[in-house]
Amino acid sequence: DEFTVGHVVHLHDTDLHDSAMLWDPAGWNMLDVIFQTGLTNSGHDVSGIQVSFVGGPDESVLWIDDVIISRLETYETPTTSPSASFAPTASPAPTITTTEEDINEDFCQRNFAKNCNDEKGTCDGWEGRQGTEVTTISPGYGGSGYAMKASNRDIHTDGLLLHIDEMCWTSGILYPWRFQAKIKIYNATTLNDITSCNPGVYTTDCPSIQILFYRGDNLHTVSSTLEDPTMVRDTNGWYSFDTIFDTTLENSGPNVVSVTVFVQGGPAESILLVDDLDFTRLSPNQRTTQQPTTQSPTTAVVLATPEPTFVQPPTPSCSILDDSWNCNRGCKFPDGSNHMSQVPQGSVIEASNRGTKAFMTGLQSSLRTACINDQFAYNWHFTAKVKLIDDNGIGISCNPSIPKNCPFLRYLISGEGHADVRGKLSFNENDKTASWDPKEWNEFDATLDLTETTFTEIGYFMIFFWGGPNNSILQVKDINIERLGLSFPTPPPNALASASPSRSSTPTSEVT
């Protein structure tokens, strides 16, 4: 569930090895290679370069230090004399005549998405998130061309990703962007369309687009998740996704160093098809003249930092916890599936087939962002009943002193205004003296303090129930989530008389 944001457009991929390096397993080793550019990997069409240090046995730890990457005016022999196969080629260096005038606003007035509607059926530039496999399938939407196919997906956020040239986000002008796509989601086994998405009541089964901006000034990620609450699914199962995104001072300007777009949604192990993508930057006055066909956005373009306003926190009118659950990383529910929709509150949710990765395999769901007031920080109180059993239904023991040997809750929160928040809470987080009873249901009781976070909009809040000995079956029931001790921003003086919340010493709670 980890991800790295960086700007790169994969046109050419080259592995560099130092075959002359003498490996010392007990000390530091010098890697020294020279890479010769050519006509295929240089020039004004190159929009990004990514360098990755990889290698080593499975589960090994890789340490990197003293990294120097230099452009040489002439070829110099490395101190460790790399093999001849990595010496420069005889091809002449390209002549680059790019000027500042070549990079102008015309470059940004185009469709930034790369489609597959060609005779080759390739999708250069698109990658899979979290190990998602990306291929093409024909025919695509409308019965012609190609569509991108994302498979091997463990959670709804696994899908397609594309790095967009950040140059078009750095001008300082708050442009609106329009995102359009045809998206189809179906079950990988039965091939039946996923029909559990109700666009008006968003769940993770619905298609969505997430945008991650990485800022170089404070080295943190700004995230926005785009939904289309009025999109329509046609008789062939294709959704027409169309929405407009407004840039802000937080996700644009010269400090943005990378922009990554993710197309996602649907249950675990479902197939995601995407076609007819169109990511276009509009001019500011197009915000009112070019509305999407399936949605009427309510947010106007912000041309200056708005004055802060105090908002009384609302009482949620819907369940905070999504009622659908995924069994991630290959585990199975009792019916053999890895996805359950509309799980009734209090039901026993069981994850088996966890093998030797029980410590990182189990149940996954999300908190409904529409039911979370993202303007405030909270303490979050998680309670549940948990049990570990074997294949015969006999309760088994775990050792709370061994990391991940007992059930724990993993959380991952991403949004605007704050770096991603992730971590884990043990089943006895609030009472470390609590022991594990293999014969009974054990109380899961943990509190997560988010009062110091500054999220202005939460893109997603995912939770996972993992942990237990190898081959154990995890059972969870009576899951309950409370928001405790609301932390309010200081309201302006003129709002204190009419809008100041009660400061009772007893924390308020809002229960799913």
Side-chain angles (χ1 to χ4, degrees), residues 34-326:
I34 286 180
F35 173 66
Q36 176 69 46
T37 56
L39 294 175
T40 60
N41 54 28
S42 63
H44 68 275
D45 289 329
V46 174
S47 59
I49 301 173
Q50 175 175 285
V51 177
S52 302
F53 290 91
V54 298
D58 291 347
E59 305 299 331
S60 61
V61 177
L62 179 65
W63 290 80
I64 305 292
D65 199 2
D66 294 343
V67 178
I68 299 176
I69 302 176
S70 304
R71 191 186 73 175
L72 307 179
E73 297 301 325
T74 58
Y75 177 65
E76 301 173 8
T77 304
T79 56
T80 54
S81 302
S83 64
S85 62
F86 293 99
T89 62
S91 59
T95 300
I96 302 175
T97 58
T98 303
T99 64
E100 289 297 325
E101 288 71 22
D102 293 326
I103 304 175
N104 52 44
E105 287 302 291
D106 291 338
F107 175 78
C108 299
Q109 304 302 319
R110 60 189 176 95
N111 179 11
F112 283 78
K114 300 181 179 182
N115 287 309
C116 305
N117 287 332
D118 56 20
E119 294 302 322
K120 299 178 182 179
T122 59
C123 301
D124 291 339
W126 285 94
E127 306 171 45
R129 187 182 194 180
Q130 303 278 16
T132 299
E133 181 181 357
V134 179
T135 56
T136 59
I137 188 172
S138 179
Y141 173 75
S144 63
Y146 292 85
M148 286 184 290
K149 176 182 178 181
S151 56
N152 191 32
R153 306 170 61 224
D154 287 336
I155 57 177
H156 73 279
T157 53
D158 292 351
L160 303 165
L161 72 88
L162 176 69
H163 301 284
I164 292 182
D165 197 309
E166 78 281 353
M167 182 187 75
C168 299
W169 299 76
T170 58
S171 66
I173 300 175
L174 301 182
Y175 292 98
W177 288 70
R178 188 175 186 179
F179 292 85
Q180 298 172 278
K182 305 297 184 184
I183 303 174
K184 179 182 175 73
I185 305 173
Y186 63 89
N187 185 287
T189 303
T190 65
L191 304 184
N192 294 329
D193 290 342
I194 301 298
T195 59
S196 52
C197 168
N198 181 354
V201 183
Y202 178 79
T203 68
T204 56
D205 286 357
C206 292
S208 63
I209 291 178
Q210 184 188 19
I211 315 175
L212 293 181
F213 307 87
Y214 190 72
R215 294 178 60 91
D217 53 343
N218 50 17
L219 302 180
H220 82 278
T221 300
V222 181
S223 171
S224 292
T225 300
L226 311 183
E227 305 161 6
D228 184 353
T230 58
M231 64 184 172
V232 176
R233 187 171 65 91
D234 67 18
T235 55
N236 294 316
W238 287 92
Y239 290 96
S240 294
F241 188 97
D242 190 352
T243 192
I244 287 180
F245 172 71
D246 293 315
T247 53
T248 67
L249 297 177
E250 180 71 7
N251 57 32
S252 64
N255 290 318
V256 172
V257 296
S258 74
V259 180
T260 309
V261 174
F262 302 90
V263 183
Q264 58 190 22
E269 302 300 331
S270 62
I271 302 297
L272 179 71
L273 301 184
V274 182
D275 200 0
D276 290 357
L277 294 126
D278 192 333
F279 303 161
T280 307
R281 195 186 77 175
L282 310 177
S283 62
N285 62 359
Q286 283 182 289
R287 185 60 177 87
T288 55
T289 60
Q290 185 173 349
Q291 298 287 357
T293 56
T294 61
Q295 183 183 4
S296 298
T298 57
T299 306
V301 176
V302 181
L303 298 178
T305 304
E307 290 296 323
T309 57
F310 178 79
V311 181
Q312 182 74 17
T315 300
S317 58
C318 52
S319 174
I320 294 176
L321 181 63
D322 197 339
D323 57 7
S324 64
W325 287 86
N326 294 324

Side-chain angles (χ1 to χ4, degrees), residues 356-379:
T356 59
K357 293 185 178 181
F359 67 94
M360 58 180 295
T361 303
L363 307 172
Q364 177 262 321
S365 189
S366 297
L367 275 62
R368 289 195 174 101
T369 56
C371 303
I372 302 172
N373 179 11
D374 300 332
Q375 301 300 317
F376 302 93
Y378 303 89
N379 285 298

Side-chain angles (χ1 to χ4, degrees), residues 409-420:
L409 184 140
R410 178 88 160 89
Y411 56 88
L412 174 59
I413 312 167
S414 181
E416 289 191 12
H418 196 279
D420 291 351

Side-chain angles (χ1 to χ4, degrees), residues 409-482:
L409 184 140
R410 178 88 160 89
Y411 56 88
L412 174 59
I413 312 167
S414 181
E416 289 191 12
H418 196 279
D420 291 351
V421 176
R422 56 177 62 114
K424 67 183 185 68
L425 302 169
S426 62
F427 83 96
N428 60 347
E429 189 76 21
N430 289 347
D431 182 8
K432 294 299 185 181
T433 64
S435 59
W436 182 265
D437 185 348
K439 298 180 180 180
E440 302 293 339
W441 286 96
N442 294 265
E443 296 292 335
F444 187 102
D445 192 345
T447 301
L448 173 61
D449 185 357
L450 295 179
T451 58
E452 299 300 319
T453 59
T454 55
F455 284 114
T456 57
E457 179 181 346
I458 294 180
Y460 56 79
F461 190 148
M462 292 190 293
I463 60 171
F464 308 79
F465 282 98
W466 289 348
N470 291 343
N471 300 306
S472 62
I473 297 174
L474 174 64
Q475 293 183 325
V476 183
K477 71 174 183 177
D478 296 343
I479 301 169
N480 193 62
I481 302 173
E482 297 176 300

